[in-house]
C-alpha cells in the first residue's frame, strides 16, 4: 500500500505558554528543525497515494507542541501510523481550549476515520466526542482521558502508578517530615491521577502523624512560572522548613528547584518529578532532583497507532482494563511507568535511546 502523509500544524505562538525548559516559564515555538520531517510552522507535506488505494486517515488533535515531551509523541506517533500504511493530520492548539475544539471540528470535517485526542481540558473536549460520533468517527484519548463522554478507547500509562512511584521514592528517603505537593493543571485528568497515586502512598503516614503536607497546590496550565510562584509561597509560609517535595512533572520540578536554589537549598531537599525530560535527568545527575518517572513514549505511540488504525478498520481494541471517565467505563490500555534515579538512569533512559549519555552527562560541553 502506498503511503500518504498530510500534516497541518495550527499554532499561534504569541498566544501559547509552554511548560518546560528549566522552570523559566518562557517558551518559544519549536523550530522547524525540531519538528518531524515535512512539518513546519505554516507548512505541510502531501504525498500522493500512488496506488490509489483507500487509505486510513487518522486525525491527531494535540494540546501543545511547545514541550519536549509532546514533540517526541508527535514524531513517534507519526512514524508508527505511516508504517501501518495510514496517513495522519496533526493540529496543535497550544493550551487554547476553543482552538482545540475548532481544530478537532476541522479534522472531523476533513473526513478522518478516527480522531486521536490529547486534551488540554478533559471536560471541554467532551463536546467533540459527540460531534465525531455523529459523523461516524471513533475517538481515542491519547495519554490524557477525556471526561464525561463516550470515548471509544483510552491509551496511556498507568498514571496513578506514576504518583505511587514518586511517593515511594521520596518516603524511602524521608519517612517523616513536612511535605510539599506541587500538582499539575487542575484541568488535566492525569494531574488528578498523579496526585491520587501520591496520596495512596502518603496517606498512611499522614494519618499516623509521621508526614504533614504543609502545602498542596495545582499549577495552572502546567506553566513553570506558576509552579515557581507556588513553591516560593510554600517556602515563605513555612520559613523554609520543608523536608521533601513531590512535583507533578519535571518542568514543575525545575521550578521547585529554582525556588530552592534561591534560598540556598537546592540539592538539600529531595524533589520528585516525572516525564524524564532531559533537564530533569540532568538535574538528577547533578544531584538537585532526586528522581523522575520514565514513561517509554515509543511504546505508547506505537500501541496508540496500532490501535487507532485497527479501530478505524473496524477491529476490536482488545483493551484489558476500563477507566471510569464520569460517564462511562472507557476501554483502556495502560502501560507501566518506570522509576528512575541516579542509580538506574543508564540502564533505562540511556539504554532505550530516550536521551544520549552525552546529553545527560553533558560530556560534549
Amino acid at each position: 500500500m502506498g503511503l500518504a502523509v498530510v500534516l497541518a500544524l495550527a499554532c499561534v505562538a504569541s498566544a501559547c505558554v509552554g511548560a518546560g525548559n528549566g522552570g523559566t516559564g518562557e517558551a518559544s515555538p519549536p523550530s522547524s528543525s525540531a519538528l518531524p520531517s515535512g512539518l513546519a510552522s505554516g507548512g505541510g507535506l502531501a504525498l500522493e497515494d500512488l496506488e490509489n488505494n483507500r487509505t486510513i486517515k487518522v486525525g491527531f488533535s494535540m494540546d501543545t507542541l511547545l514541550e519536549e515531551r509532546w514533540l517526541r509523541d508527535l514524531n513517534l506517533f507519526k512514524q508508527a501510523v505511516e508504517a501501518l500504511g495510514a496517513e495522519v493530520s496533526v493540529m496543535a492548539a497550544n493550551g487554547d481550549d476553543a482552538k482545540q475544539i475548532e481544530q478537532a471540528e476541522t479534522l472531523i470535517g476533513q473526513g478522518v476515520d478516527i480522531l486521536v485526542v490529547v486534551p488540554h481540558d478533559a471536560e471541554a473536549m467532551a463536546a467533540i466526542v459527540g460531534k465525531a460520533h455523529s459523523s461516524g468517527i471513533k475517538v481515542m484519548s491519547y495519554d490524557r482521558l477525556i471526561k464525561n463522554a463516550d470515548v471509544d478507547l483510552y491509551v496511556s500509562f498507568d498514571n496513578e502508578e506514576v504518583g505511587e512511584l514518586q511517593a515511594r521514592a521520596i518516603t524511602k528517603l524521608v519517612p517523616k517530615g513536612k511535605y510539599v505537593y506541587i500538582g499539575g493543571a487542575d484541568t488535566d485528568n492525569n494531574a488528578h491521577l498523579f496526585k491520587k497515586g501520591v496520596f495512596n502512598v502518603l496517606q498512611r503516614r499522614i494519618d499516623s502523624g509521621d508526614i504533614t503536607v504543609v502545602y498542596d497546590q495545582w499549577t495552572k496550565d502546567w506553566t513553570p512560572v506558576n509552579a515557581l510562584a507556588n513553591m516560593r509561597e510554600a517556602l515563605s509560609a513555612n520559613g523554609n522548613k520543608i523536608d521533601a517535595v513531590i512535583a507533578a512533572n519535571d518542568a514543575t520540578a525545575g521550578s521547585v528547584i529554582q525556588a530552592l536554589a534561591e534560598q540556598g537549598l537546592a540539592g538539600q531537599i529531595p524533589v520528585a518529578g516525572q516525564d524524564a525530560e532531559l533537564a530533569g535527568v540532568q538535574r538528577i545527575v547533578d544531584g538537585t532532583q532526586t528522581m523522575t518517572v520514565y514513561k517509554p513514549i515509543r511504546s505508547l505511540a506505537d500501541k496508540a497507532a496500532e490501535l487507532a488504525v485497527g479501530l478505524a478498520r473496524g477491529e476490536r481494541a482488545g483493551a484489558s482494563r476500563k477507566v471510569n471517565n464520569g460517564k462511562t467505563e472507557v476501554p483502556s490500555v495502560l502501560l507501566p511507568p518506570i522509576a528512575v534515579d541516579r542509580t538506574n538512569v543508564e540502564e533505562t533512559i540511556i539504554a532505550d535511546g530516550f536521551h544520549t549519555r552525552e546529553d545527560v552527562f553533558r560530556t560534549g560541553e
Side-chain angles (χ1 to χ4, degrees), residues 173-344:
L173 295 172
V174 186
K176 298 181 180 182
K178 294 181 178 181
Y179 273 57
V180 167
Y181 185 72
I182 303 294
D186 189 26
T187 55
D188 182 349
N189 187 64
N190 279 5
H192 290 267
L193 294 173
F194 300 149
K195 183 174 181 178
K196 186 173 186 295
V198 167
F199 282 85
N200 285 347
V201 174
L202 295 188
Q203 197 60 53
R204 178 177 61 83
R205 297 176 186 271
I206 292 171
D207 292 342
S208 70
D210 287 341
I211 286 176
T212 303
V213 178
V214 296
Y215 188 88
D216 176 359
Q217 186 59 261
W218 300 108
T219 300
K220 182 176 173 57
D221 292 330
W222 287 101
T223 308
V225 68
N226 293 329
L228 179 60
N230 285 341
M231 191 60 202
R232 284 171 173 166
E233 184 177 61
L235 288 165
S236 176
N238 291 278
N240 289 351
K241 302 298 183 182
I242 289 169
D243 299 300
V245 183
I246 298 176
N249 71 354
D250 287 338
T252 52
S255 293
V256 165
I257 291 163
Q258 180 180 339
L260 291 173
E262 291 170 355
Q263 303 300 320
L265 297 172
Q268 298 180 34
I269 296 174
V271 177
Q274 68 102 7
D275 270 346
E277 286 192 353
L278 179 59
V281 180
Q282 289 173 334
R283 289 192 296 268
I284 289 172
V285 170
D286 293 343
T288 56
Q289 184 169 323
T290 307
M291 63 87 68
T292 189
V293 180
Y294 170 45
K295 298 180 292 189
I297 296 172
R298 181 178 294 278
S299 299
L300 174 64
D302 287 350
K303 177 58 69 173
E306 171 194 333
L307 292 171
V309 173
L311 281 176
R313 289 174 175 158
E315 300 171 5
R316 293 176 61 86
S320 59
R321 298 174 66 172
K322 291 189 176 182
V323 174
N324 191 291
N325 74 344
K327 181 176 183 180
T328 188
E329 296 289 329
V330 181
S332 303
V333 174
L334 303 180
L335 306 175
I338 302 167
V340 173
D341 59 22
R342 183 63 179 81
T343 67
N344 68 340

Side-chain angles (χ1 to χ4, degrees), residues 18-97:
N21 305 329
T24 64
E26 297 296 328
S28 300
S31 65
S32 58
S33 62
L35 298 174
S37 176
L39 179 62
S41 178
L45 175 68
L47 302 179
E48 294 297 323
D49 184 351
L50 300 178
E51 298 174 11
N52 294 317
N53 291 326
R54 171 75 169 83
T55 302
I56 295 295
K57 298 178 180 179
V58 179
F60 197 18
S61 171
M62 302 187 71
D63 166 22
T64 185
L65 284 175
L66 294 179
E67 293 181 43
E68 172 193 318
R69 157 71 203 278
W70 297 112
L71 280 169
R72 286 180 178 273
D73 284 84
L74 172 56
N75 276 285
L76 294 170
F77 183 77
K78 171 184 176 289
Q79 292 167 12
V81 169
E82 288 178 351
L84 293 168
E87 67 178 38
V88 59
S89 293
V90 183
M91 289 189 171
N94 297 305
D96 186 326
D97 293 327

